[in-house]
Amino acid sequence: MIEVKNLTKIYEDKNKQSFKALDNVSFTLPNTGMVFILGKSGSGKSTLLNMLGGLDKITSGEIVADGNAFSSFKQEDYDNYRNTYIGFVFQDFCLIDNLTVYQNIELALQIKRENNPNLIFKTLENVGLKGFEKRYPKELSGGQKQRVAIARALVKRPKLILADEPTGNLDSKTSTQILKIFKRVSKENLVVIVSHNREDAENYADKIIEIEDGKIIRNVIRNKDYNNNFVINDNVICLPDRKLTVDELSKLNEKIKENPVTITSTVDKFVEQPQTQLDSRKVTFDNKNMSTASLIKMSYNFLRHRKISLFFTIIFVLLIITLLSVCQMFMVFDDRQVINEALANRDSEVFVMKKGYDADDKDYIRSNKNSFINDNEIQSFISNGYNGEIFKLYNTPLPIAAHNSNADGYYYMSDEYRYSDIFAYEAVGVLQCDLDYLTKIFGSGASLNVISGDITPSYTTNQLIITDYIADSLIYFNLDNKYLPTNPNDIYGNVINKIIANHYYVCAVIDTGYKEKYASLIEKFTQYSTSNDNKQLQTLIRSEDFVNFIENLNTYYNVAYTLNPNYAEYAKNVAGTNVKSARNWLAFNGSIKYKDKNDVSKTTDKMYYTMYIDTAYQSTPFNKGEVLMPIRAYNSYFGTNYSQEDVGYNKGVTQQTIQLLHYNQDYDNVNAVPAFTKEVTVVGVVMEEHWIINGEDFREMFEANLFPTALYFDNTENISNIYNTGRQMNFVVTTSYFNAIMDLTNIVGIFTDYFGVIGAILAFIALLLLINFGYTSVKANIFEIGVIKALGGKNKNLSISFVLQMLFIGLIICILTTILSIVFVQVTNTVLVNSFVKFYNNEILKNLVILYFMPNILIIDLCATIAISLISSLLPIYKLRKVKPFNIIKQKNTL
């Protein structure tokens, strides 16, 4: 039984004006029967129905349902009340369009956590809809829809059925059918119908409550003593509440003619309800929650009629999250990993850095000429954490080909000019190292194979160890026909213990295995070179094998070695002496300062001259500070006209004081400082284009000319640290492979900040898309949510449903994003690598890995995506918790 006590409901409009929809209403409702609430539009009857159903908030007063006072209800209590106690039938049916008839009815059971197909079919049969299970609401007439709504209410087996104008949109015949169904149901349940149709109430109601302006003006029940018969008793006639039949009219007329009569009406159909004794027992409402399967099904139903929106949201968010993760991978781009792994793939035993210098463009470092490396720079690598041996590569001149034997080996030859027919015109330089290094690079196991000679002299002298490649080059180019192989058993013996072009002395030849390792390449190169097959030759030169070969030549095979830790000092001390391997000429790269015939100080442009030691020119040495200079230059500087007869030492040429400003190979560096400055006296001239200089001055200039130009690092564990340290001091790497890697790391480094900005924008867009979808998903299903809540669906279940919905979307995005990110990283790598291969015209770069797939970044992004997805569904759901189901149904734009 339900008791309503002093119930008041006050609304406020948009202008904060209040009005009473219900004003101190009180009544009781029985456990069974059919109750009509009558009233005109705006009288408060629908408000009263909503109050009874727990769909609207009470301003004051109380409703007690089977001992349960609404004033003590929490939200969950209202949900349980509607779920197990109430069945709703709405005027506009409130069926969910994308569910079948069966599913609409099944939903009411799912909310109660029940699954009873037989009950659904039986209920449909009871309302006359057997066979309509698979139809959708749009396929039904108004009467059929209302029957479905009734079936949905009945299937719950509620104690109270609330029907709001159930026949308002139906024709009279259908209305009669619906009312008869309700009348039949009311025998076991309480049916409360809101209506404005008084005739229906008179015909079917067991109780009528009539409201006007929010107040009850009539509260009656059907009179059990009521009969509607035509009765004549003596002179008293009782007329029924209906039209008289023809026979009854005839009897009435005859009685009136006979005697005067008194006419009365029948007993009233409805009488005031007597005081009702309420049952004090309290009925507990079941606390039912939907099953996981039902929640998943409901989530699916919410999603399936938003397929287009769902598709585009997933696609857009998928692409954005993928791009975001790739941007983040660029943002945390680790150049050390790229460098170390790239070089590890090259199986490099050492890392080589060459000293360069700043060109005019400060962003570019020149490396095509030798530059001096000092001890402080070497110490900088150690101070910055390098742990290993550092070997110095000296610019000791090593001419090989006959036509290059008179050139200065200090000059750095480019690969274009250094090699011909595989063999070299000139060696790269001399590496000061130890036996362990040579064994690691060229040895087999723990031993070094010395093909000819003895490496022992190299420990204490400036005698050099050369590779079989340099020896083969010497033999190939056959310097002055002096080194033709004469001993088939030891062809390398022909270059041992001999002065090579007055430049260096060889004590041993070691085996490198280059001929076996590159046999196929050398054969192809020789074949294509001799056949003038330029196309195939160019293809071969660009190949990975050939590039590897050239880089190995520059790093290992075409380098001479010394085991003497004091090699540089020893070489300086023997320069210009009578020692077999002594150097007797060197290059002058610089300017001359002088005063012309008008006593005007001038400085020449930087130039190149060869300077010979005086003892190589004549038996009598010069005095310190004396030089002979080319006659052509002398006449040009001082305005004289000396001839060949005046050539020689102290031949009567006017002595001139000049200053020699000698630079190393970086003489074209605008910031270069002279490595050797000497004021000398010109005491004669020569016809050749070279200078003759005193022996002591020669050794001073030699010392300025001999210096390390590259460093070999035998510990390659942290190459990026070595590179970054060297880069600050104008060190460079000359291998195209490593340069390509460094170009790439620099390019990526430049754009790191841009990737950060792009990533932030993408993250914001993804956030908006997901929140918008969650928000609009709730908004798009606002009607369905209202119906479900009216049927007893709990906010918790609805929240879980939308969480599952967004979780599903998040998981789909995660799976697809993972796949797409892996593919995208691979594609990005392929595009970048192909671009670099094309740019450098070098196939060796094809296995380079630039961008690494980082699952930890993707996992973070995907977790954030799921979190945002869940939040985007919870925010609008939280707002819905404060809105009553009735308002949700009636106002689909509540959000």
Side-chain angles (χ1 to χ4, degrees):
M1 181 171 288
I2 296 177
E3 181 183 12
V4 177
K5 298 185 292 185
N6 307 120
L7 184 63
T8 298
K9 175 64 180 177
I10 300 176
Y11 288 109
E12 282 189 357
D13 60 18
K14 295 179 180 179
N15 299 320
K16 302 297 182 179
Q17 297 294 321
S18 61
F19 65 95
K20 288 184 178 180
L22 293 174
D23 186 4
N24 201 32
V25 172
S26 298
F27 59 87
T28 59
L29 295 176
N31 289 325
T32 61
M34 194 166 179
V35 178
F36 270 73
I37 299 177
L38 297 179
K40 298 178 181 179
S41 296
S43 62
K45 59 183 185 299
S46 292
T47 300
L48 178 57
L49 190 74
N50 293 331
M51 295 292 178
L52 292 172
L55 298 178
D56 210 348
K57 186 177 181 181
I58 297 173
T59 303
S60 65
E62 184 68 277
I63 298 177
V64 180
D66 283 349
N68 295 277
F70 280 20
S71 59
S72 65
F73 276 14
K74 298 177 181 178
Q75 181 59 52
E76 188 174 39
D77 296 318
Y78 278 112
D79 294 335
N80 292 334
Y81 170 68
R82 288 193 297 269
N83 190 2
T84 61
Y85 196 88
I86 300 291
F88 274 101
V89 180
F90 299 98
Q91 179 180 2
D92 55 357
F93 322 126
C94 290
L95 301 178
I96 298 176
D97 291 335
N98 65 331
L99 299 182
T100 63
V101 168
Y102 182 92
Q103 291 169 337
N104 267 281
I105 300 172
E106 182 187 37
L107 180 61
L109 285 181
Q110 289 175 340
I111 293 173
K112 291 184 65 177
R113 202 184 182 93
E114 292 184 14
N115 180 21
N116 193 337
N118 292 330
L119 178 60
I120 296 174
F121 287 117
K122 182 178 179 181
T123 303
L124 282 171
E125 184 177 1
N126 289 339
V127 297
L129 290 178
K130 182 179 180 180
F132 284 72
E133 296 84 2
K134 295 183 180 180
R135 295 193 185 183
Y136 286 91
K138 64 181 179 180
E139 301 172 334
L140 304 177
S141 66
Q144 290 169 334
K145 290 179 182 178
Q146 194 62 285
R147 289 169 187 259
V148 175
I150 295 172
R152 183 178 61 189
L154 293 178
V155 78
K156 296 168 62 177
R157 303 178 300 282
K159 286 190 174 183
L160 172 62
I161 295 176
L162 301 177
D164 187 8
E165 298 280 5
T167 61
N169 296 326
L170 305 177
D171 59 70
S172 59
K173 181 179 179 181
T174 305
S175 297
T176 300
Q177 294 173 345
I178 296 299
L179 290 171
K180 286 181 178 180
I181 293 174
F182 280 128
K183 191 63 178 177
R184 186 170 65 247
V185 170
S186 68
K187 293 178 181 180
E188 297 181 0
N189 305 85
L190 175 60
V191 178
V192 177
I193 298 176
V194 166
S195 178
H196 62 275
N197 192 316
R198 187 175 299 275
E199 184 179 351
D200 288 343
E202 295 288 337
N203 291 333
Y204 295 98
D206 295 309
K207 178 181 177 70
I208 296 176
I209 298 173
E210 190 170 352
I211 298 178
E212 184 175 297
D213 295 330
K215 296 182 178 181
I216 295 178
I217 61 172
R218 185 182 177 208
N219 182 5
V220 296
I221 62 174
R222 187 173 291 276
N223 189 350
K224 295 180 179 179
D225 297 327
Y226 171 76
N227 64 73
N228 203 22
N229 297 324
F230 175 77
V231 178
I232 299 176
N233 187 8
D234 295 333
N235 292 325
V236 178
I237 300 175
C238 181
L239 297 178
D241 184 18
R242 57 177 173 79
K243 289 182 179 182
L244 297 177
T245 65
V246 175
D247 183 57
E248 290 171 337
L249 282 172
S250 176
K251 290 180 179 180
L252 175 62
N253 290 328
E254 289 179 0
K255 188 64 177 175
I256 293 173
K257 290 178 181 180
E258 291 177 359
N259 297 299
V261 296
T262 300
I263 298 178
T264 63
S265 62
T266 62
V267 179
D268 289 342
K269 288 185 181 180
F270 294 90
V271 296
E272 294 293 328
Q273 183 177 4
Q275 187 68 28
T276 305
Q277 183 66 36
L278 297 177
D279 191 344
S280 61
R281 290 179 302 174
K282 184 177 181 179
V283 176
T284 302
F285 304 136
D286 292 337
N287 186 3
K288 298 291 185 69
N289 288 299
M290 297 180 70
S291 66
T292 301
S294 297
L295 290 172
I296 293 173
K297 185 180 292 186
M298 184 163 64
S299 297
Y300 170 74
N301 289 329
F302 284 154
L303 278 176
R304 68 175 183 171
H305 69 290
R306 301 192 67 214
K307 293 177 182 177
I308 296 177
S309 176
L310 173 64
F311 173 79
F312 283 107
T313 297
I314 290 177
I315 292 298
F316 288 145
V317 175
L318 164 65
L319 293 175
I320 288 172
I321 299 300
T322 300
L323 292 175
L324 172 62
S325 63
V326 173
C327 283
Q328 290 172 316
M329 291 175 194
F330 273 113
M331 288 171 60
V332 297
F333 176 78
D334 188 352
D335 58 340
R336 293 175 299 178
Q337 181 183 11
V338 175
I339 294 168
N340 291 335
E341 291 193 15
L343 292 182
N345 293 334
R346 297 271 289 155
D347 195 25
S348 178
E349 297 287 351
V350 294
F351 181 63
V352 181
M353 294 202 78
K354 178 179 172 58
K355 185 64 185 297
Y357 62 88
D358 283 327
D360 291 343
D361 181 355
K362 298 301 180 182
D363 293 331
Y364 174 69
I365 297 178
R366 294 193 59 147
S367 60
N368 62 339
K369 293 185 180 180
N370 296 329
S371 291
F372 178 81
I373 298 176
N374 59 49
D375 291 337
N376 289 335
E377 291 170 329
I378 296 174
Q379 184 60 39
S380 293
F381 290 100
I382 299 172
S383 300
N384 285 322
Y386 175 72
N387 183 19
E389 295 291 340
I390 301 178
F391 301 120
K392 304 172 185 176
L393 179 70
Y394 283 92
N395 63 331
T396 302
L398 295 177
I400 294 176
H403 63 271
N404 195 45
S405 61
N406 292 323
D408 188 354
Y410 290 115
Y411 185 78
Y412 180 87
M413 294 186 86
S414 63
D415 292 345
E416 183 180 355
Y417 300 106
R418 179 174 286 138
Y419 302 106
S420 175
D421 298 328
I422 293 297
F423 297 111
Y425 295 130
E426 177 194 62
V428 173
V430 175
L431 183 67
Q432 181 183 337
C433 62
D434 55 28
L435 184 60
D436 288 340
Y437 172 80
L438 285 180
T439 304
K440 180 173 70 172
I441 301 299
F442 301 120
S444 175
S447 62
L448 182 69
N449 183 17
V450 180
I451 303 175
S452 182
D454 183 7
I455 65 172
T456 303
S458 183
Y459 283 100
T460 56
T461 69
N462 66 336
Q463 297 183 48
L464 303 178
I465 301 169
I466 64 172
T467 64
D468 50 358
Y469 172 79
I470 293 178
D472 288 338
S473 296
L474 284 167
I475 295 170
Y476 177 81
F477 287 112
N478 187 18
L479 292 180
D480 296 332
N481 294 319
K482 293 179 181 179
Y483 308 113
L484 288 173
T486 57
N487 184 352
N489 296 322
D490 184 12
I491 60 173
Y492 294 129
N494 294 288
V495 296
I496 300 298
N497 298 322
K498 293 182 176 66
I499 297 293
I500 307 298
N502 295 321
H503 279 63
Y504 55 100
Y505 192 87
V506 177
C507 66
V509 178
I510 58 174
D511 182 19
T512 65
Y514 85 95
K515 285 180 287 190
E516 293 78 12
K517 184 175 182 179
Y518 294 103
S520 175
L521 180 69
I522 295 172
E523 181 181 356
K524 289 180 182 178
F525 188 89
T526 303
Q527 175 186 345
Y528 299 149
S529 297
T530 55
S531 64
N532 295 320
D533 192 338
N534 187 61
K535 183 176 180 181
Q536 286 188 290
L537 182 62
Q538 292 302 315
T539 300
L540 181 65
I541 290 174
R542 291 194 298 269
S543 69
E544 180 178 352
D545 285 343
F546 190 83
V547 173
N548 277 332
F549 177 59
I550 293 297
E551 291 183 358
N552 282 331
L553 288 182
N554 288 334
T555 306
Y556 305 114
Y557 305 129
N558 197 25
V559 175
Y561 298 91
T562 177
L563 303 179
N564 186 351
N566 299 311
Y567 165 76
E569 292 300 320
Y570 190 91
K572 293 171 187 176
N573 290 334
V574 300
T577 67
N578 292 323
V579 176
K580 259 186 165 186
S581 56
R583 174 70 178 268
N584 59 17
W585 65 273
L586 51 78
F588 174 83
N589 296 295
S591 303
I592 308 295
K593 283 189 175 183
Y594 66 95
K595 289 186 178 181
D596 65 9
K597 62 181 181 180
N598 298 318
D599 203 30
V600 177
S601 296
K602 293 185 176 180
T603 302
T604 67
D605 294 333
K606 293 174 183 176
M607 62 187 73
Y608 172 85
Y609 281 113
T610 302
M611 289 203 170
Y612 283 93
I613 193 170
D614 51 3
T615 54
Y617 179 75
Q618 61 180 40
S619 59
T620 304
F622 296 171
N623 293 321
K624 185 174 174 60
E626 293 182 341
V627 299
L628 274 63
M629 68 181 294
I631 188 172
R632 181 187 60 79
Y634 186 96
N635 288 334
S636 173
Y637 296 166
F638 304 113
T640 57
N641 192 24
Y642 290 114
S643 63
Q644 186 172 354
E645 289 76 16
D646 304 308
V647 170
Y649 178 61
N650 287 328
K651 282 289 188 78
V653 175
T654 301
Q655 293 187 2
Q656 300 285 350
T657 299
I658 64 173
Q659 190 174 36
L660 301 177
L661 303 177
H662 170 68
Y663 297 83
N664 291 325
Q665 284 297 316
D666 61 351
Y667 64 84
D668 53 355
N669 178 3
V670 294
N671 298 314
V673 176
F676 173 81
T677 301
K678 183 76 174 181
E679 190 174 273
V680 296
T681 301
V682 180
V683 294
V685 294
V686 294
M687 290 300 298
E688 296 85 358
E689 291 296 318
H690 58 246
W691 295 56
I692 310 298
I693 190 171
N694 168 264
E696 291 184 43
D697 295 332
F698 178 89
R699 278 185 286 276
E700 288 181 16
M701 187 174 290
F702 181 88
E703 183 176 356
N705 263 336
L706 182 63
F707 51 84
T709 61
L711 299 178
Y712 280 54
F713 301 86
D714 71 340
N715 184 351
T716 59
E717 290 182 358
N718 194 353
I719 291 175
S720 61
N721 186 49
I722 302 172
Y723 177 83
N724 291 330
T725 300
R727 187 68 177 79
Q728 297 172 3
M729 299 181 291
N730 291 344
F731 280 79
V732 295
V733 179
T734 57
T735 60
S736 60
Y737 182 73
F738 189 82
N739 280 329
I741 297 172
M742 298 315 302
D743 285 345
L744 170 69
T745 57
N746 290 334
I747 291 171
V748 174
I750 290 172
F751 288 99
T752 297
D753 291 339
Y754 293 101
F755 284 124
V757 173
I758 294 171
I761 294 173
L762 290 173
F764 181 71
I765 294 174
L767 176 66
L768 290 182
L769 283 173
L770 286 172
I771 290 179
N772 177 69
F773 185 83
Y775 181 86
T776 55
S777 181
V778 174
K779 189 174 181 179
N781 292 285
I782 193 73
F783 175 73
E784 290 82 354
I785 292 171
V787 171
I788 291 170
K789 291 190 73 172
L791 296 176
K794 298 181 179 179
N795 284 322
K796 178 173 67 176
N797 290 334
L798 285 167
S799 299
I800 293 174
S801 174
F802 278 98
V803 166
L804 289 174
Q805 171 182 298
M806 296 307 296
L807 184 61
F808 168 76
I809 294 173
L811 289 175
I812 291 296
I813 291 173
C814 289
I815 294 171
L816 296 179
T817 299
T818 302
I819 297 172
L820 190 59
S821 294
I822 295 173
V823 173
F824 198 86
V825 167
Q826 292 176 342
V827 171
T828 302
N829 260 320
T830 301
V831 171
L832 290 176
V833 169
N834 288 341
S835 299
F836 271 81
V837 168
K838 186 176 181 180
F839 179 79
Y840 282 95
N841 198 20
N842 189 342
E843 290 293 328
I844 196 174
L845 303 173
K846 65 184 180 181
N847 295 321
L848 184 65
V849 178
I850 297 172
L851 186 64
Y852 291 87
F853 177 72
M854 299 180 184
N856 54 328
I857 289 179
L858 186 60
I859 290 172
I860 293 173
D861 289 340
L862 297 182
C863 290
T865 300
I866 292 176
I868 293 170
S869 300
L870 300 181
I871 293 172
S872 67
S873 63
L874 293 178
L875 288 177
I877 283 289
Y878 176 77
K879 187 173 182 180
L880 278 176
R881 294 171 66 92
K882 300 181 178 181
V883 182
K884 294 299 181 180
F886 175 75
N887 293 330
I888 298 176
I889 296 172
K890 295 299 182 181
Q891 302 174 30
K892 296 185 180 181
N893 296 320
T894 299
L895 289 183

